[in-house]
């Protein structure tokens, strides 16, 4: 059987890096968004901009704010409001990363040492709170109560998803449905809101607004499922984080949930030991990879991601074809194939 990584590598030869292509297309608007971000990071408390810039300037493809900018351009809407909302989206995302790294005790973020390991947990949490506050200021300035409602709801949904995931750590009984609900909340909600708010400020009708929300949500689900797969099949240099983090933290992501559901009695005992009891020894991660692959769980995870990416593309079909729509459609393909 052809490995997921080999198949994806072949596919990636056919698909250009759509994130980079979108970044080029959105360059002028994203420079304005970056200027807003740097302006709103200003504080007389030196640690705040220092720590926040450490993470923000580490890179990342800024996919979420680019979706906001691209959706507005696809709709032919040019105004400061989408730029402020895009900056707000990036602040929400960055704040959640800071908080997540404290909770997960992560060692790397975007290819750099996690901020909490440099400045400590307390500083990371408090700077994350500062970024949340700045995001709400930007939402208010955008001048749309509905957009404010959508993004604020997304922020609370993300927190709920993270708490639910924390509660599910080391629980080998987590079902596929439960895990999909978790990632819908902790990841897809912000993608959905990032796309939807552009339709709101552009004054589009409910049908188009819903299509944008669907695009973002399906894209976010695909994005997270690929992350799940990459933790067992990716290279840390491409991911910007360590592989095996989910395994070591006892998280039952989709590849593990599928492998557990198909496990023999001896395999079930293995999963109970390494996940539920957290008794991990050298070689256990390699065993996890072997079991996941032997049951086709990795391939099934990526295939499910592709199905969500396809639905994201289909959601944009109601909009007139233009270069921005094409870029957003291509982004859905890239999200799945991005790091193999």
């Amino acid at each position: 059987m052809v490995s997921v990584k080999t198949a994806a590598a072949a596919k990636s030869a056919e698909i250009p890096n759509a994130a980079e292509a979108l970044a080029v297309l959105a360059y002028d608007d994203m420079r304005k968004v970056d200027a807003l971000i740097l302006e709103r990071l200003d504080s007389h408390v030196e640690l705040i901009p220092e720590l926040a810039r450490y993470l923000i300037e580490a890179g990342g493809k800024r996919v979420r704010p680019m979706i906001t900018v691209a959706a507005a351009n696809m709709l032919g809407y040019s105004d400061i409001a989408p730029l402020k909302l895009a900056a707000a989206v990036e602040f929400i995302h960055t704040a959640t990363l800071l908080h997540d790294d404290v909770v997960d005790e992560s060692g790397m973020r975007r290819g750099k040492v996690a901020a909490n390991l440099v400045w400590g947990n307390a500083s990371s949490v408090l700077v994350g709170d500062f970024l949340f506050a700045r995001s709400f200021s930007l939402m208010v300035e955008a001048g749309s109560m509905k957009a404010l409602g959508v993004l604020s709801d997304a922020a609370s949904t993300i927190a709920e998803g993270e708490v639910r995931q924390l509660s599910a750590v080391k629980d080998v009984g987590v079902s596929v449905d439960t895990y999909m609900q978790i990632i819908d909340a902790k990841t897809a909600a912000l993608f959905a809101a990032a796309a939807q708010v552009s339709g709101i400020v552009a004054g589009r009708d409910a049908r188009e607004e819903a299509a944008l929300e669907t695009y973002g949500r399906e894209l976010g689900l695909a994005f997270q499922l690929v992350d799940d797969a990459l933790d067992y099949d990716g290279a840390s240099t491409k991911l910007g984080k360590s592989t095996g983090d989910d395994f070591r933290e006892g998280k039952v992501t989709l590849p593990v949930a599928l492998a557990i559901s198909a496990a023999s009695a001896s395999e079930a005992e293995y999963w109970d030991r390494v996940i539920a009891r957290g008794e991990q020894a050298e070689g256990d991660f390699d065993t996890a990879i072997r079991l996941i692959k032997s049951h086709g769980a990795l391939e099934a995870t990526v295939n499910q991601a592709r199905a969500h990416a396809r639905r994201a593309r289909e959601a944009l079909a109601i909009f007139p074809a233009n270069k921005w729509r094409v870029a957003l459609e291509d982004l859905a393909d890239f999200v799945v194939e991005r790091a193999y």
Side-chain angles (χ1 to χ4, degrees):
M1 182 175 65
V2 178
S3 74
V4 174
K5 188 182 294 185
T6 302
K11 180 71 173 174
S12 66
E14 303 169 10
I15 300 175
N17 187 329
E20 293 178 2
L22 180 57
V24 170
L25 194 59
Y27 180 84
D28 289 340
D29 281 344
M30 287 303 296
R31 294 295 68 75
K32 295 173 185 175
V33 172
D34 286 344
L36 277 169
I37 288 171
L38 292 174
E39 174 190 319
R40 300 313 169 90
L41 283 179
D42 188 39
S43 170
H44 66 277
V45 180
E46 292 182 7
L47 177 62
I48 291 175
E50 182 182 1
L51 192 156
R53 283 195 180 97
Y54 178 82
L55 185 57
I56 289 173
E57 293 179 355
K61 293 183 171 60
R62 299 268 171 79
V63 172
R64 294 157 188 83
M66 272 202 295
I67 289 170
T68 305
V69 165
N73 279 286
M74 180 182 70
L75 300 175
Y77 184 70
S78 178
D79 189 74
I80 189 63
L83 305 183
K84 290 188 173 182
L85 292 172
V89 165
E90 182 65 9
F91 276 153
I92 292 171
H93 177 54
T94 304
T96 61
L97 296 185
L98 286 169
H99 290 170
D100 287 352
D101 285 345
V102 171
V103 172
D104 296 340
E105 300 179 342
S106 300
M108 289 178 65
R109 174 64 69 182
R110 290 176 173 172
K112 300 176 72 171
V113 176
N116 59 298
L117 297 184
V118 179
W119 285 277
N121 288 342
S123 294
S124 290
V125 170
L126 293 172
V127 172
D129 292 344
F130 174 85
L131 295 179
F132 271 125
R134 282 290 196 246
S135 74
F136 279 95
S137 295
L138 284 160
M139 292 179 220
V140 170
E141 291 174 21
S144 168
M145 286 299 295
K146 187 174 182 181
L148 171 61
V150 166
L151 280 174
S152 60
D153 284 348
S156 62
T157 298
I158 293 165
E160 290 172 343
E162 293 291 354
V163 171
R164 193 171 182 188
Q165 178 173 264
L166 185 62
S167 300
V169 168
K170 298 187 176 181
D171 182 0
V172 293
V174 171
S175 68
V176 170
D177 286 345
T178 295
Y179 190 69
M180 292 305 297
Q181 291 167 14
I182 290 171
I183 68 170
D184 183 73
K186 81 181 190 73
T187 301
L190 186 56
F191 276 86
Q196 184 182 356
V197 291
S198 285
I200 291 171
V201 295
R204 294 306 180 105
D205 61 28
R207 178 170 170 261
E208 292 190 355
E209 190 183 312
L212 289 170
E213 195 274 350
T214 297
Y215 169 81
R217 187 170 302 280
E218 296 292 339
L219 186 71
L221 290 170
F223 186 95
Q224 185 59 57
L225 288 169
V226 169
D227 256 13
D228 292 349
L230 287 172
D231 202 58
Y232 290 93
D233 198 40
S236 61
T237 52
K238 292 181 180 180
L239 284 167
K241 66 176 185 179
S242 303
T243 54
D245 280 351
D246 291 342
F247 176 76
R248 286 182 285 272
E249 293 162 13
K251 291 180 180 176
V252 180
T253 57
L254 187 60
V256 174
L258 292 172
I260 289 174
S261 69
S264 66
S266 61
E267 290 170 357
E269 168 55 28
Y270 161 81
W271 288 116
D272 187 70
R273 174 175 65 81
V274 299
I275 299 295
R277 302 200 301 271
E279 298 170 2
Q280 297 181 4
E282 186 175 352
D284 278 339
F285 181 55
D286 291 334
T287 300
I289 293 173
R290 177 177 60 78
L291 293 177
I292 285 169
K293 290 184 176 181
S294 71
H295 289 295
L298 199 64
E299 191 167 7
T301 298
V302 175
N303 285 339
Q304 187 161 332
R306 289 192 177 109
H308 286 291
R310 183 173 63 252
R311 287 195 282 272
R313 289 181 63 100
E314 290 169 354
L316 297 179
I318 69 169
F319 299 106
N322 57 38
K323 62 183 179 181
W324 292 97
R325 177 182 140 183
V326 170
L328 287 169
E329 289 171 340
D330 289 346
L331 181 65
D333 290 326
F334 172 75
V335 158
V336 177
E337 315 299 346
R338 61 197 159 100
Y340 284 104

